[in-house]
Every structure is written in C-alpha cells, then in structure tokens.
C-alpha cells in the first residue's frame, strides 16, 4: 500500500498539467497548412493552420472556396491556430487560401494569400464517405491557451487553471472610463467583483469558492445599463489540485475558527489519542497481572526451598 501511495504522489505532478489544460482539440493531429505552402488534399481532409508571430493577428480569418467553412485564428501559445476541412463537393483543381482581418469586410479590403491547396479527383463513393465522415466530426474546441505572464482574461475563451479557494485578479483592457460600471459573476466566485480603474485598464480581485468542483466555469458580465440576458465574458477552470492554503469560505462555515480540514485533523487525532490511551491501559493491566503472577511464583518457590532445608527427624 505504501508503495502504491508513493507511486501515485509521484505521478500526480505529471498528470495535473494535462488535466488542467482541458480537452485536446480534434485537429491536433491534422496535417498543417503553413504560410506559402502548396498541399495536395482530398475531399474531407482536415488541415491545421498555424501562424507564427508576425504572420497573422488574433481572430484573423482563413478561408478558401475549397473549405467547408472559414476558420478563425485562436491563440494556442506560442502560435495562432485554426482548423479547416476540405469540402466534400470541392472539384479537382488548385484553390487559393487567403487570410483577412476579422473586420476587413469593406470593398477596399485586400486579402492576403496564405497558401494553396490542390484538390485531387474523387469518385462518388469517396464523396459519399466524405459526407458521412464530416457529419461525425466533433465540434472544434474553442478554448485558447495564452502565455502564462499575460493578464487574464485575454479573450472570452482564454481558459486558465486556478485552485479552489485561491484569490485571483481579473483584468479588462477596454471600456475606458467605465470605472465601477461593470460587475462580474460566476458560480466559482465567493462574491460579485466590480471592475475599477481610472485609466484604460480596469481590474478586480475575488476569491474562488473552496468547495468549487473541478471543471469549467463561465464568468458573466453585467453593465450598469444592461438589459436582457447575462453575457458570457470569460471562462476559467478549477484544476483538480490541492486547495489554496487560505480558504475564507471554509472559515465562514466554521465560525468558531475551526476549519473543515482542522476538524478532520482533530477528529483523526482524537481517535488516535483514544487508541493510544486504550493501548496504554491494556499494557498496564497486563503488566500488573504479570507482576502478581511472578510474585506468587517467587513466594511459592521460597516456601518450597525453606521446606527442603528443614532437618529430618
């Protein structure tokens, strides 16, 4: 049992980063379509577009007549990535893949040629298999991974792992002059933090509930003049790891000042203390019986020896 426990604790640090990172995108193993490339493809093929710093901007659109739908570049530090799929009805030929900014929709836009794809011929059986394959494809994972030293959140899907009970800082880089006008709520929060600041950057701090179960949590934004349903503004993940050292919600649950952890420790300690006391009493009783038995045996042996030394008549 001790060996198994030691192995489990040794493996835990290796598993936590994988668990905290969330589900892996289905496109992670798809062939890449780098800038300036020409790739031969077939209907139904999935491709991953990866842009280095300077090659594209966050939320840029990657599109082509050969794709089922355009892809939007998301941050997967240190690259911007998106997944695209070749349409089942794409006819044989060479197609241009372009990149454009998310807001470049006017008549003066100049899309940037990213790459080219060469669609190979396919018969009707292959196209039918393609349609069946496409209907079974999982939805793309929208979660993003930004650099650890970037403030959180950088986007609506900038999902960072936090420990239950920890205190976190939230940063907002827009809405200058909205000091005190934006309130945030989440099932993971202990309160309702308000974004404050007299410049372009607004910040708020809050604590995460100690009893928050591991998983994904939505943060909702409430504007002072808001009407209508709540708006999802950010997301966070409670990591399946040890809780933070200080847990205000547990202290509040035990007004006497004894936390749940301390209560468990005292309970366990009481059981051990009672067991130790019982063992001590048992040992003491056994010791007394042993001493009594030994003393009786010595007295009997002494009387027997004195009897042996009496002179015979």
């Amino acid at each position: 049992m001790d060996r198994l426990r030691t192995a489990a604790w040794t493996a835990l640090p290796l598993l936590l980063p994988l668990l905290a990172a969330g589900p892996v995108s289905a496109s992670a193993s798809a062939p890449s379509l780098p800038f300036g490339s020409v790739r031969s493809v077939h209907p139904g093929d999935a491709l991953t577009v990866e842009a280095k710093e300077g090659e594209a901007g966050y939320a840029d659109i990657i599109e082509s007549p050969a794709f089922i739908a355009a892809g939007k570049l998301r941050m997967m530090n240190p690259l911007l990535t998106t997944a695209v799929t070749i349409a089942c009805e794409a006819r044989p030929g060479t197609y241009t893949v372009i990149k454009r900014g998310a807001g470049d929709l006017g008549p003066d836009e100049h899309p940037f040629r990213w790459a080219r794809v060469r669609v190979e011929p396919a018969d009707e059986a292959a196209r039918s298999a393609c349609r069946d394959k496409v209907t079974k494809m999982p939805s793309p994972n929208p979660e993003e991974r930004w650099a650890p030293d970037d403030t959180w959140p950088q986007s609506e899907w900038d999902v960072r792992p936090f420990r239950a009970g920890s205190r976190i800082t939230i940063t907002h880089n827009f809405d200058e002059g909205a000091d005190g006008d934006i309130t945030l709520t989440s099932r993971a929060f202990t309160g309702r933090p308000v974004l404050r600041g007299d410049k372009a950057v607004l910040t708020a701090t809050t604590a995460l509930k100690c009893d928050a179960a591991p998983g994904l949590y939505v943060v909702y934004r409430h504007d002072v003049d808001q009407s209508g349903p709540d708006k999802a503004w950010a997301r966070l993940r409670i990591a399946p790891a040890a809780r933070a050292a200080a847990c205000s919600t547990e202290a509040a649950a035990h007004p006497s000042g004894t936390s749940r952890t301390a209560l468990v420790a005292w309970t366990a300690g009481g059981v051990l203390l009672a067991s130790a006391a019982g063992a001590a009493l048992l040992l003491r009783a056994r010791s007394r019986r042993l001493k009594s038995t030994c003393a009786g045996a010595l007295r009997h042996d002494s009387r027997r020896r004195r009897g042996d030394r009496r002179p015979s008549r």
Side-chain angles (χ1 to χ4, degrees):
M1 181 61 71
D2 290 339
R3 287 195 299 269
L4 290 175
R5 186 182 296 110
T6 301
W9 278 109
T10 302
L12 185 59
L14 302 177
L15 295 175
L16 288 179
L18 299 178
L19 294 172
V24 178
S25 172
S27 63
S29 59
S32 64
L33 185 65
F35 169 67
S37 63
V38 179
R39 178 172 289 280
S40 178
V41 295
H42 297 84
D45 283 354
L47 300 172
T48 299
V49 178
E50 298 179 338
K52 301 176 183 178
E53 183 179 358
E55 292 181 342
Y58 176 75
D60 280 358
I61 304 299
I62 302 294
E63 59 186 11
S64 171
F67 297 164
I68 291 178
K72 179 184 289 188
L73 289 172
R74 295 183 176 275
M75 176 59 74
M76 293 298 289
N77 181 56
L79 300 174
L80 293 169
T81 70
T82 189
V84 293
T85 304
I86 304 300
C88 298
E89 307 307 323
R91 310 317 300 177
T94 301
Y95 297 80
T96 300
V97 178
I98 65 171
K99 175 189 72 67
R100 62 176 177 81
D104 295 341
L105 301 176
D108 296 330
E109 79 170 276
H110 298 283
F112 182 81
R113 191 172 76 174
W114 178 262
R116 289 183 294 170
V117 291
R118 185 182 299 112
V119 179
E120 301 295 339
D123 57 20
E124 186 54 36
R127 296 184 187 279
S128 177
C130 170
R131 287 188 285 270
D132 182 64
K133 171 186 175 181
V134 167
T135 58
K136 296 178 181 178
M137 281 184 175
S139 300
N141 179 14
E143 294 186 24
E144 299 173 353
R145 184 176 66 245
W146 293 74
D149 55 349
D150 286 338
T151 56
W152 177 82
Q154 291 289 322
S155 72
E156 177 185 349
W157 281 100
D158 175 13
V159 180
R160 309 279 180 105
F162 297 102
R163 293 186 301 169
S166 61
R167 193 164 186 83
I168 63 174
T169 298
I170 306 165
T171 304
H172 186 46
N173 297 314
F174 302 97
D175 296 315
E176 183 175 2
D179 176 33
D181 293 342
I182 303 173
T183 303
L184 306 174
T185 62
S186 174
R187 292 189 300 109
F189 292 172
T190 57
R192 295 170 60 93
V194 179
L195 289 168
R196 307 303 301 258
D198 55 1
K199 295 183 179 180
V201 178
L202 307 177
T203 61
T205 58
T206 188
L208 302 178
K209 294 179 180 178
C210 290
D211 58 356
L216 190 68
Y217 290 82
V218 180
V219 178
Y220 294 97
R221 165 180 170 157
H222 310 263
D223 291 84
V224 67
D225 56 352
Q226 177 178 327
S227 61
D230 296 339
K231 295 181 293 184
W233 182 73
R235 288 165 176 83
L236 62 91
R237 171 169 281 107
I238 300 295
R243 296 177 182 177
C247 251
S248 58
T249 52
E250 284 196 352
H254 300 279
S256 63
T258 304
S259 67
R260 181 181 176 186
T261 304
L263 183 62
V264 172
W266 277 108
T267 304
V271 172
L272 293 175
L273 184 60
S275 300
L281 291 175
L282 181 61
L283 290 174
R284 185 179 299 175
R286 287 182 177 178
S287 177
R288 288 178 178 176
R289 286 198 301 270
L290 181 61
K291 289 181 179 180
S292 177
T293 302
C294 290
L298 288 174
R299 287 196 298 270
H300 176 74
D301 184 65
S302 177
R303 287 196 299 267
R304 185 176 60 80
R305 290 182 178 181
R306 287 198 301 270
D308 292 342
R309 290 196 298 268
R310 290 176 183 176
S312 58
R313 295 180 179 176

